[in-house]
Amino acid sequence: MEKIEGVLIDLDGTIWRGNELIPQADEAVAYLRSLGKRLVFVSNRGNWSRRMCHEQLRRFGIAAAEEEIILSSTVTAQFLRAHYPLCQVWTLGDEGLHEELQHYQVPLAPVPEEADFLVITLHETMTYRDLDLAFRAVHHGARMIATNIDKMFPNEHGNAIDVAGMVGAIEAATARKVEVVLGKPSCFMAEAALRQLKVPPDLCLVIGDSVQSDIRMGRMYGMKTALVLTGNTKRSQLDMLREKERPDYVIDSIYDIIGLGKGVMW
């Protein structure tokens, strides 16, 4: 840890599972702050806004500024505002995505037929009508963007279906494909986190539960990586990892970052 200045911390499966805090995760974050490390919470949660995420962290006793939270909804809104400032957007997702788009003044289409883009994210309250409206947007020419394409995420009940399920439904019905994915392990998420940290990649550590998003992003940017076993990845899967997927450390939970004593260094 002496060589680490910035830490990128995943949320689902690393800090919490649904509405349950992973034991002593709050203590691990406090420990990293006590060492003077710069922190950023980096999550593929595209159906939340930073305000919602900030409230969840506060409920669990974890101090964080909203600027230290980078969500796939945040990066999606930033991308659209920067590259398509006059576009109109329709969404398939929960209210948090709307909130983040509105924060960055991304115009929302009044009806799906007028949308330039359909943005797809996790939709935990989805109905047939929601799917049909999204279908209508693409059927009338909207291009598709996804906040992420994770297949599942961990909650208090185990693994739950993630954005890939929503994307699959619209792609199958329209014979069109998502053009851009903004969440981890994309460059958009990594660069947003690094801008916030103001730390070079080789002095950063990524802590997360997903080999496909957290570890892959860290490795592609030359960051150190620590895989926790409290979420999507189980110890029995480790032997099947390819060389480029292997983290620098495997720890039982984020609390073990305090000593890395229970970790496995590849």
Side-chain angles (χ1 to χ4, degrees):
M1 294 300 295
E2 292 179 2
K3 297 180 181 179
I4 297 298
E5 295 182 10
V7 185
L8 295 77
I9 305 174
D10 176 49
L11 292 174
D12 287 291
T14 302
I15 296 295
W16 58 59
R17 285 187 296 258
N19 291 314
E20 297 177 355
L21 179 70
I22 289 170
Q24 300 176 292
D26 52 338
E27 297 177 35
V29 174
Y31 169 75
L32 289 169
R33 289 202 187 277
S34 74
L35 297 179
K37 308 303 180 187
R38 299 181 64 87
L39 305 184
V40 64
F41 298 92
V42 185
S43 172
N44 270 353
R45 270 282 182 170
N47 63 330
W48 282 16
S49 66
R50 284 173 299 167
R51 178 192 61 81
M52 296 164 64
C53 189
H54 182 259
E55 290 178 359
Q56 177 89 323
L57 286 164
R58 186 174 57 188
R59 280 197 298 271
F60 287 138
I62 297 173
E66 280 196 21
E67 308 87 72
E68 294 179 308
I69 300 169
I70 307 291
L71 306 175
S72 60
S73 57
T74 310
V75 175
T76 298
Q78 292 171 343
F79 172 83
L80 288 168
R81 182 63 182 172
H83 297 285
Y84 301 96
L86 300 182
C87 73
Q88 294 194 80
V89 173
W90 193 262
T91 66
L92 178 62
D94 293 314
E95 186 58 35
L97 175 60
H98 270 198
E99 187 175 322
E100 208 69 351
L101 290 170
Q102 289 173 324
H103 176 81
Y104 285 94
Q105 300 178 320
V106 175
L108 301 177
V111 293
E113 290 81 0
E114 295 183 17
D116 299 297
F117 288 99
L118 170 68
V119 178
I120 306 175
T121 192
L122 180 62
H123 200 335
E124 296 181 279
T125 57
M126 186 172 63
T127 66
Y128 173 82
R129 177 171 171 75
D130 295 320
L131 270 177
D132 189 51
L133 291 172
F135 167 81
R136 283 164 50 186
V138 177
H139 190 62
H140 284 81
R143 299 160 64 187
M144 286 192 283
I145 288 176
T147 61
N148 61 294
I149 50 171
D150 296 341
K151 294 180 174 62
M152 65 186 75
F153 71 98
N155 63 20
E156 63 268 38
H157 306 297
N159 286 328
I161 190 170
D162 208 338
V163 180
M166 284 94 249
V167 168
I170 301 302
E171 286 188 339
T174 62
R176 300 273 297 280
K177 294 293 183 182
V178 163
E179 295 183 28
V180 181
V181 179
L182 279 300
K184 296 181 289 185
S186 78
C187 61
F188 306 103
M189 289 289 277
E191 290 172 4
L194 290 170
R195 282 196 302 270
Q196 173 61 33
L197 288 171
K198 297 180 174 62
V199 173
D202 61 322
L203 298 179
C204 289
L205 171 69
V206 179
I207 306 173
D209 72 304
S210 171
V211 170
Q212 300 304 317
S213 60
D214 302 307
I215 306 307
R216 180 171 290 182
M217 182 180 73
R219 291 209 53 168
M220 287 194 297
Y221 267 79
M223 305 177 194
K224 291 293 184 182
T225 56
L227 178 71
V228 298
L229 301 178
T230 47
N232 276 334
T233 308
K234 305 305 176 188
R235 190 171 292 278
S236 60
Q237 299 172 279
L238 299 180
D239 289 340
M240 295 182 288
L241 297 181
R242 294 174 293 177
E243 181 62 33
K244 65 181 180 180
E245 297 174 326
R246 291 185 172 186
D248 294 292
Y249 303 96
V250 178
I251 52 181
D252 289 331
S253 80
I254 190 172
Y255 182 71
D256 295 326
I257 204 71
I258 292 175
L260 284 179
K262 299 179 182 178
V264 176
M265 187 172 182
W266 294 97

